[in-house]
């Protein structure tokens, strides 16, 4: 593989607002980490070690600061160290201080039913308030199924990107989720003849308002990413791109008729499926059931593409995310690459290395340094994660336990 040229880590330029960079990270009782305090210099960071040592858990702590939840599980309690009541992550992002505390259910710390506490600069916030503070692009092994896997993977990828571009989107999505949960509960009660159909009107209105806003923003996002996605695909696979461009199409279960707005289309589909919804006890249409379709030259990639073509499309999508978020306000996002270099061939790895060189901060995890480009290894700050009796420990760049990273 041809080595890409990378500048020294200290030479990374100042880019936009300092809030784009994670400067300090503090972890307490999260996964295998009992205690960790570390500062990060600019440039790429390599985190390596054996499987299950704690590499992904380190990235997960960063994701918690950025999204308010894990990218690996929907059960927050799984993140709290087994013999602790509270897991905590704190980070300094430019002028902002972010704290996320996860409380184990049933513990003394969970009095009052609070299981998650989020604070920004000491002020309690919801997860949706984190959007834009620490913008990230995550590339993890499970996303190798983005093209042909579950629709929920694609919806999550789209929602995550949309929320980082628009804080209002995160609020609309959260409002839709609350309305959907309440409406589904009511539908089950109607099915069991414990409530009347007329009561659905109470939750139909907020569902339609927030659902229409979610769909409208998703469509705007797909329109915005079309150019960067096509350009990234042409960069990675010029011959393949010449035969037909890569695109992502929105597949909705409430398609609008001529002259129909998204809200009107969703309202019509709710009326059309009302009997079936009562029978099933759940809401059958809406953005929670929509999908994305990756197309190459107008054909659905999931139906014909080779594994290599799918990986090319996924990498192009991730690079397009980087470009779109950077174009938004000139601040490149934080790139998190969780053990994906081994999934890519040398040519695709080289494209990633070149993009990493353009970013003020990036994290790459791997089980072996042999998978990484020599130029990337030379320019990066390298950390090793090892397992000790007390849990995971981070070893500093000089090969000794870092002064700020303690087990």
């Amino acid at each position: 593989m041809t080595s890409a040229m990378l500048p020294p880590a200290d030479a990374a330029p100042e880019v936009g607002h300092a809030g784009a960079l994670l400067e300090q990270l503090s972890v307490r009782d999260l996964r295998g980490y009992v205690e960790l305090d570390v500062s990060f210099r600019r440039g790429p960071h390599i985190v390596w070690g054996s499987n299950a040592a704690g590499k992904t858990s380190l990235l997960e702590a960063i994701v918690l600061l950025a999204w308010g939840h894990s990218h690996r599980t929907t059960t927050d309690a799984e993140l709290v160290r087994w013999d602790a009541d509270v897991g905590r992550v704190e980070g300094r992002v430019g002028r902002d201080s972010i704290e996320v505390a996860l409380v184990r259910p049933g513990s003394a710390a969970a009095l009052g039913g609070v299981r998650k506490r989020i604070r920004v600069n000491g002020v309690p916030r919801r997860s949706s308030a984190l959007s834009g503070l620490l913008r990230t692009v995550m590339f993890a092994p499970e996303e190798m199924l983005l093209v042909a896997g579950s629709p929920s993977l694609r919806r999550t990828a789209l929602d995550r990107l949309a929320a980082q571009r628009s804080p209002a989107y995160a609020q609309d999505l959260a409002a839709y989720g609350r309305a959907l949960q309440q409406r589904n509960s009511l539908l089950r009660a109607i099915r069991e003849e414990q409530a009347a159909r007329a009561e659905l009107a109470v939750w139909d209105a907020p569902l339609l308002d927030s659902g229409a806003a979610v769909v409208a923003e998703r469509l705007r996002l797909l329109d915005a990413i079309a150019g960067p996605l096509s350009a990234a695909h042409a960069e990675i696979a010029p011959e393949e791109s010449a035969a037909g461009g890569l695109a992502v199409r929105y597949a909705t279960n409430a398609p609008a008729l001529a002259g129909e707005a998204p809200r009107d289309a969703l309202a019509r589909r709710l009326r059309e499926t009302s009997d079936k919804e009562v029978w099933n006890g759940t809401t059958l249409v809406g953005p929670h059931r929509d999908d994305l379709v990756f197309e190459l030259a107008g054909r659905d990639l999931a139906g014909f593409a080779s594994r290599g073509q799918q990986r090319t499309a996924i990498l192009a999508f991730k690079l397009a995310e980087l470009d779109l978020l950077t174009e938004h306000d000139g601040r490149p996002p934080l790139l998190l690459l969780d053990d994906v270099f081994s999934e890519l061939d040398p040519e695709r790895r080289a494209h990633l290395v070149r993009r990493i060189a353009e970013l003020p901060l990036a994290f790459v995890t791997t089980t072996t340094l042999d998978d990484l480009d020599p130029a990337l290894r030379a320019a990066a700050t390298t950390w090793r994660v090892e397992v000790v009796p007390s849990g995971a420990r981070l070893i500093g760049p000089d090969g000794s336990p870092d002064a700020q990273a303690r087990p």
Side-chain angles (χ1 to χ4, degrees), residues 334-354:
L334 171 61
L335 177 62
L336 304 176
L337 299 171
D338 190 12
D339 200 21
V340 296
F341 270 84
S342 60
E343 297 277 354
L344 302 172
D345 60 34
E347 184 176 353
R348 291 178 180 86
R349 293 183 199 176
H351 284 287
L352 263 183
V353 170
R354 283 196 290 272

Side-chain angles (χ1 to χ4, degrees), residues 382 395-402:
T382 302
I395 305 299
D398 61 356
S400 62
D402 187 76

